[in-house]
Amino acid sequence: MVDSNISQHYRQAELPFLESIDNLSGKVANEYRPILTDFLNPRQLYILETIVNRYEGVSFQTFGGYASAELKRAIAFPDYFVPKSDDYNITAFQIDYPSKFATLSHGQILGSIMGTGIDRDVIGDIVTDGLNWQFMCESEMADYVQAQVDRIGKIKIKLKRIQPEDIIIPVDEGEETTTTVASLRVDALVSEGFHISRHHAKELVEGGMIRINWEQAGRPDLEISIQDIISVRGFGRLVIRDIAGTTKKGKIRIVLKVYNRNK
């Protein structure tokens, strides 16, 4: 069990993941061998760092298929081990589709892959340059995904394995900003990040339009923390880069990265 002094700083829904990383870290220390995780989102990677750092003689490194990947696999390992990029077991696929007659979207691609019955954390980043689409996949499941996925929606496609040097590096269009909020509620942050009313932000949450780390936000009063990713349908995404203390007036100073799709 994770110490309650630590677990109290996390949301209830995060506790099973916290426990799993604590178990993994203990296993690395006791069995003196490296262990590889599934793809983790930035918030999970932040939790992993917090937990692994409590174990003496256990370190970790992460990789997502290319240098600036958002979703990454982590290797927790004892002192003697030096991870290489091959150790992360990541296969990159290019989606071969009739680009003159059809357009693809991130949601369509993810939905079609998940439709084969695999878990979300088997798939890493989905990237595009506007025409070509690629995605990262755990090598352990690559044959299955390649055999199962022959359509994206109604569009017939083929998956082609590509080399790391052929992976598209997406352009980072996010803007970092430091601002203050009255609270860390999801509706307050969405209101601030996209310059909409708190009431509208609340309606978006209640209408199922907002996800936190790819999961439905559920409640407007849900508290957000460091490295959470808030996706708002029709607006874009926010990443909580840092929570940097409070002002003299009691407001919370935060660093946000805003990816605004309406720009």
Side-chain angles (χ1 to χ4, degrees):
M1 284 285 287
V2 178
D3 189 321
S4 61
N5 288 333
I6 291 161
S7 60
Q8 67 176 343
H9 297 293
Y10 297 91
R11 292 191 287 270
Q12 194 66 34
E14 293 176 331
L15 298 185
F17 179 74
L18 203 68
E19 292 286 352
S20 73
I21 294 302
D22 192 48
N23 291 338
L24 176 145
S25 306
K27 220 170 182 180
V28 173
N30 295 331
E31 298 177 14
Y32 208 57
R33 67 181 178 91
I35 299 179
L36 177 64
T37 71
D38 290 320
F39 280 101
L40 304 177
N41 63 51
R43 174 65 181 167
Q44 290 172 321
L45 291 165
Y46 175 77
I47 294 171
L48 176 128
E49 181 175 5
T50 309
I51 299 300
V52 171
N53 284 345
R54 296 172 60 235
Y55 282 81
E56 206 173 321
V58 179
S59 304
F60 78 97
Q61 284 184 27
T62 64
F63 186 56
Y66 63 101
S68 57
E70 185 171 73
L71 300 173
K72 299 175 186 178
R73 301 189 80 174
I75 299 177
F77 55 90
D79 293 340
Y80 73 87
F81 187 77
V82 181
K84 304 183 299 297
S85 55
D86 284 355
D87 295 322
Y88 293 92
N89 286 2
I90 295 171
T91 297
F93 283 114
Q94 170 105 11
I95 301 172
D96 204 347
Y97 74 106
S99 53
K100 284 184 180 170
F101 311 106
T103 56
L104 299 181
S105 73
H106 187 285
Q108 269 182 322
I109 294 166
L110 185 59
S112 297
I113 298 170
M114 301 281 287
T116 65
I118 63 168
D119 292 333
R120 173 65 185 93
D121 52 17
V122 166
I123 303 300
D125 283 11
I126 298 170
V127 295
T128 184
D129 57 8
L131 183 66
N132 297 293
W133 285 88
Q134 301 170 352
F135 66 91
M136 311 306 132
C137 176
E138 292 184 359
S139 299
E140 301 92 319
M141 293 294 287
D143 287 349
Y144 176 81
V145 170
Q146 193 168 21
Q148 293 292 318
V149 181
D150 59 0
R151 288 179 183 277
I152 304 290
K154 292 180 179 169
I155 303 158
K156 195 133 183 55
I157 62 111
K158 221 176 178 169
L159 296 183
K160 196 174 79 185
R161 295 180 196 228
I162 55 172
Q163 295 303 310
E165 58 269 23
D166 297 322
I167 295 171
I168 296 162
I169 308 300
V171 179
D172 184 352
E173 293 178 330
E175 285 181 18
E176 204 154 281
T177 176
T178 301
T179 185
T180 60
V181 285
S183 81
L184 292 172
R185 287 170 51 126
V186 61
D187 56 355
L189 290 167
V190 167
S191 167
E192 181 63 35
F194 293 115
H195 309 296
I196 60 174
S197 74
R198 185 82 172 259
H199 179 69
H200 188 187
K202 191 167 180 264
E203 284 179 335
L204 289 170
V205 178
E206 289 166 350
M209 308 291 273
I210 296 181
R211 289 179 173 266
I212 299 165
N213 305 325
W214 295 274
E215 299 283 339
Q216 284 281 350
R219 309 190 325 264
D221 63 347
L222 193 70
E223 289 233 331
I224 300 303
S225 197
I226 294 173
Q227 293 298 2
D228 274 333
I229 296 175
I230 307 171
S231 310
V232 185
R233 201 182 305 166
F235 287 85
R237 298 194 310 156
L238 305 172
V239 183
I240 316 305
R241 285 289 190 218
D242 197 14
I243 297 168
T246 51
T247 65
K248 284 178 184 170
K249 291 184 175 174
K251 284 207 156 193
I252 304 160
R253 189 177 283 109
I254 56 168
V255 182
L256 279 182
K257 192 151 191 183
V258 184
Y259 297 84
N260 195 334
R261 62 169 294 194
N262 296 326
K263 273 189 74 175

